[in-house]
Amino acid sequence: MSTVGKIAAIVLAAGRSTRMGATNKLLAEVGGRPMARRVAETALASAARPVLVVTGHQAEAVRSALMGLDVDLIANPDYAVGLATSLKAGIRALPADCQGALMLLGDMPRVTAAHLDALMAAFAPERDAAIVVPTHNGQRGNPVLWSAEFFAEMLGLEGDVGARTLVARHADRVREVDLGTDAVLIDVDTPEALVRLKLADNI
């Protein structure tokens, strides 16, 4: 566990998956497991605790895909309004003693527990590393680790852009960590992206 205190993981798994067509991408199998389950298992294999999963679209099916995992399921009835509603639902459900939270996208199955632990190792709010952002070849990706000092601001977010505006607003508090992998850049939004992922990883 991080020496700075408790760091939670919030898996955002509430989206409508509109670009995937009829299939809910979070239920698509990657390596023999639904994508949402794979991401949740990654979070559980890291030092982050607790692990929260925010559900919305096809919530029952997503919850079934997560059956047996030691995660807290958080319902977001407003998921159709945009990503910010899921961020806020997750933050509101965090224990009061959390010093920070990793925000994981449910459609990034190549991120590993080692990546998450590397981000937590870099987290040092007292040394202006209060927002830890993974990079690859100079490009910023996800997941992002946020200090609890930003939770109140995040509760004021609206729409479908996530918290990127806060990263820009608090640039002096950001630490970038080059994880040496494009896993932090690749999300699976379309059937074509899913095919490319399976071919690239031979899964």
Side-chain angles (χ1 to χ4, degrees), residues 19-153:
R19 295 176 60 196
M20 187 62 76
T23 302
N24 184 341
K25 62 185 176 183
L26 299 173
L27 301 175
E29 287 207 353
V30 177
R33 308 191 304 286
M35 187 155 25
R37 185 179 184 92
R38 185 178 173 115
V39 175
E41 287 175 344
T42 292
L44 288 168
S46 77
R49 289 296 184 277
V51 175
L52 285 61
V53 181
V54 182
T55 64
H57 178 62
Q58 296 184 350
E60 283 296 334
V62 174
R63 284 196 289 266
S64 293
L66 300 171
M67 191 174 298
L69 297 183
D70 185 20
V71 299
D72 296 326
L73 297 171
I74 310 300
N76 174 20
D78 300 318
Y79 67 90
V81 178
L83 180 63
T85 62
S86 291
L87 284 171
K88 292 189 283 189
I91 289 168
R92 290 190 188 105
L94 288 172
D97 60 344
C98 278
Q99 299 301 302
L102 277 158
M103 300 295 178
L104 285 77
L105 302 181
D107 63 354
M108 296 186 71
R110 291 186 62 202
V111 172
T112 70
H115 299 151
L116 303 184
D117 287 340
L119 297 175
M120 287 186 279
F123 184 63
E126 73 284 357
R127 297 195 298 275
D128 287 331
I131 305 171
V132 184
V133 181
T135 66
H136 179 62
N137 288 340
Q139 187 174 349
R140 288 178 170 178
N142 284 290
V144 176
L145 171 53
W146 293 86
S147 169
E149 68 191 80
F150 300 109
F151 289 171
E153 265 187 282

Side-chain angles (χ1 to χ4, degrees), residues 9-25:
I10 299 175
V11 179
L12 303 175
R16 290 179 293 169
S17 188
T18 53
R19 295 176 60 196
M20 187 62 76
T23 302
N24 184 341
K25 62 185 176 183

